[in-house]
Amino acid sequence: MAAAGGQTLGRSSFSRATSNPAASSSGATGVKLSPNGVAFVSSGIPDLDRILGGGFLLGSVVMIMEDNDAPHHLLLLRCFMAQGVVHKQPLLFAGPMKEPRLFLGTLPALVSSSKEDGRHIAMGAGASSDGRANDEGLRIAWQYKKYFGDEKTSRAEHKDNKQEFSNDFDLRKPLERHLLNGQNIECVSTQEADTLSNLQDRCSAFLSKLPRKDGGSLTAGRIAIQSLCAPHCGYFEKDWDMVSFIRSVKAMVRSSNSVAVITFPSTVLSNSFCKRWQHLADTLLSIKAIPDEDKDLAKLLTGYQDMVGFLHVHKVAQTNSQVPVILEASTLSLKLRKRRSLVLERLNQAPVDGSSGPSAAASGSCSSSQGRQLDF
């Protein structure tokens, strides 16, 4: 089809034209714009951002179903909060504890790259000295050395741009205190609260400072609520009040530049109310711990010794798009890389020992029919 009025060929009418790649990033730190104009904030786990199509959708409610066997949901919640602190974004945390501000001391620190930078500098110095010695004999190699140097520079710039949106966190080290001082961080205790009115008022006041803006610089806020329906909360048996609270928070978050992450133990809820909670979530995740000694599962999966749990993606938030989100896999393995950073990987089945079985019999029957013509 011919292009009319200088229109670019092959461009769909549902995609927004961008003049340069820089248009995909907003003016605010920690906010990324997709080609269709959707804004994302990082979850604190780079692999989870890639699986969800960019991160947590701005203006959405993310709900995480907890596991009774292990508090692995705190790993996701801490990375989400730490990423917001690093980006200097407003944060509101609510938890079933007397002093919720003490929970900020458990946030993980950024992975230090000083050793890696020193290794790269040493390698670069060695390469430069070797280059001076070999320039006289191999003049052609100078062109390739220059090409690879430019490629390393572009890769380093791409890595830095990627780290501006999503970072790796070291779960063994706490976040530096100077990052927590002077930040817009609010903490609310839900342990002795008989109603959710106080928490709802705090959320409303927090989100009123982050109105939705279509253009300009975006300032994103984060709300983290831990174990909303914990049994030791005063409003534990008020099921309809909790549903009403989630609906209210969802409406306020949708009209503001923020993301709310709510974790809840699904086993303490009835089946009907658990379904209602899952339906109210824009993005629904669940985490399941792995038993310490499961020999059958160890034989079935590769890398079982490095796994700490399974992450299930039940629902992904979506807007401004008519194409459904197609995930590579809905169940992922949660691993610790070098025992410090969270990594999500697809499940791989371990190879089966032995060559006997139906597959061997099938291959033998095919090999025995070499001289005959196959009838399709």
Side-chain angles (χ1 to χ4, degrees):
M1 181 182 293
Q7 187 178 0
T8 305
L9 289 175
R11 186 182 298 279
S12 173
S13 60
F14 295 100
S15 61
R16 181 175 297 177
T18 55
S19 57
N20 51 13
S24 61
S25 61
S26 64
T29 304
V31 179
K32 181 175 64 176
L33 296 178
S34 65
N36 59 350
V38 178
F40 293 96
V41 296
S42 175
S43 63
I45 304 176
D47 291 338
L48 184 58
D49 295 339
R50 177 184 56 82
I51 292 169
L52 297 179
F56 290 158
L57 184 64
L58 199 65
S60 64
V61 175
V62 181
M63 303 190 72
I64 303 175
M65 292 187 289
E66 303 175 3
D67 185 18
N68 294 331
D69 297 333
H72 289 338
H73 62 280
L74 295 179
L75 300 177
L76 305 181
L77 193 65
R78 286 168 180 165
C79 291
F80 171 75
M81 296 173 60
Q83 188 69 74
V85 173
V86 171
H87 288 159
K88 298 181 180 180
Q89 296 172 344
L91 175 64
L92 173 63
F93 170 70
M97 55 195 72
K98 292 183 178 181
E99 296 293 337
R101 187 164 290 273
L102 297 178
F103 185 78
L104 301 178
T106 63
L107 299 183
L110 290 172
V111 174
S112 59
S113 59
S114 58
K115 295 182 180 180
E116 296 179 359
D117 295 340
R119 190 184 302 110
H120 290 319
I121 293 174
M123 293 176 62
S128 61
S129 61
D130 294 341
R132 295 193 189 97
N134 296 331
D135 276 346
E136 297 180 358
L138 300 175
R139 297 182 179 272
I140 300 178
W142 177 82
Q143 299 179 357
Y144 293 97
K145 183 180 68 175
K146 180 180 179 181
Y147 169 75
F148 287 119
D150 297 338
E151 185 179 3
K152 291 179 181 179
T153 303
S154 62
R155 288 181 179 178
E157 294 177 353
H158 176 71
K159 183 178 180 180
D160 293 338
N161 293 332
K162 181 180 179 182
Q163 288 182 351
E164 289 180 358
F165 175 74
S166 180
N167 301 99
D168 290 323
F169 292 94
D170 191 348
L171 300 176
R172 302 173 302 177
K173 300 179 181 179
L175 192 65
E176 291 79 0
R177 291 187 177 181
H178 68 86
L179 295 176
L180 300 175
N181 297 331
Q183 295 288 342
N184 187 9
I185 301 177
E186 302 179 15
C187 298
V188 183
S189 176
T190 59
Q191 182 174 357
E192 299 179 356
D194 295 333
T195 61
L196 289 167
S197 58
N198 182 30
L199 181 58
Q200 184 173 350
D201 294 340
R202 295 290 295 271
C203 292
S204 177
F206 177 80
L207 296 175
S208 63
K209 305 175 185 178
L210 303 168
R212 171 76 71 172
K213 295 180 181 179
D214 295 335
S217 179
L218 296 176
T219 301
R222 297 175 182 239
I223 296 179
I225 302 177
Q226 175 192 352
S227 301
L228 181 59
C229 58
H232 48 277
C233 294
Y235 54 83
F236 168 66
E237 297 180 355
K238 300 178 181 180
D239 295 332
W240 287 109
D241 291 348
M242 290 187 288
V243 171
S244 178
F245 170 77
I246 297 175
R247 290 175 178 172
S248 177
V249 170
K250 184 177 180 179
M252 292 187 293
V253 168
R254 183 153 298 181
S255 59
S256 64
N257 287 328
S258 61
V259 176
V261 175
I262 302 175
T263 68
F264 66 98
S266 58
T267 55
V268 301
L269 295 174
S270 60
N271 293 333
S272 60
F273 278 97
C274 185
K275 292 295 182 181
R276 287 185 173 91
W277 284 48
Q278 296 177 16
H279 179 72
L280 291 173
D282 296 318
T283 298
L284 182 61
L285 308 174
S286 65
I287 193 165
K288 182 68 176 177
I290 295 181
D292 295 335
E293 296 180 0
D294 194 341
K295 297 181 180 180
D296 296 335
L297 195 61
K299 295 179 181 179
L300 182 63
L301 300 176
T302 58
Y304 172 79
Q305 63 277 4
D306 298 330
M307 297 181 186
V308 296
F310 295 115
L311 180 68
H312 304 273
V313 182
H314 302 273
K315 189 194 302 185
V316 180
Q318 183 181 7
T319 184
N320 293 349
S321 177
Q322 296 181 349
V323 180
V325 179
I326 301 177
L327 302 175
E328 297 179 358
S330 59
T331 303
L332 305 162
S333 62
L334 187 65
K335 296 183 179 181
L336 286 178
R337 181 174 57 191
K338 297 181 180 180
R339 297 182 179 180
R340 60 179 184 177
S341 300
L342 290 178
V343 178
L344 295 177
E345 295 180 358
R346 297 178 59 181
L347 297 177
N348 297 320
Q349 185 176 1
V352 181
D353 297 335
S355 59
S356 61
S359 58
S363 61
S365 61
C366 293
S367 61
S368 61
S369 59
Q370 282 185 343
R372 294 178 292 177
Q373 184 178 1
L374 297 177
D375 187 9
F376 295 98

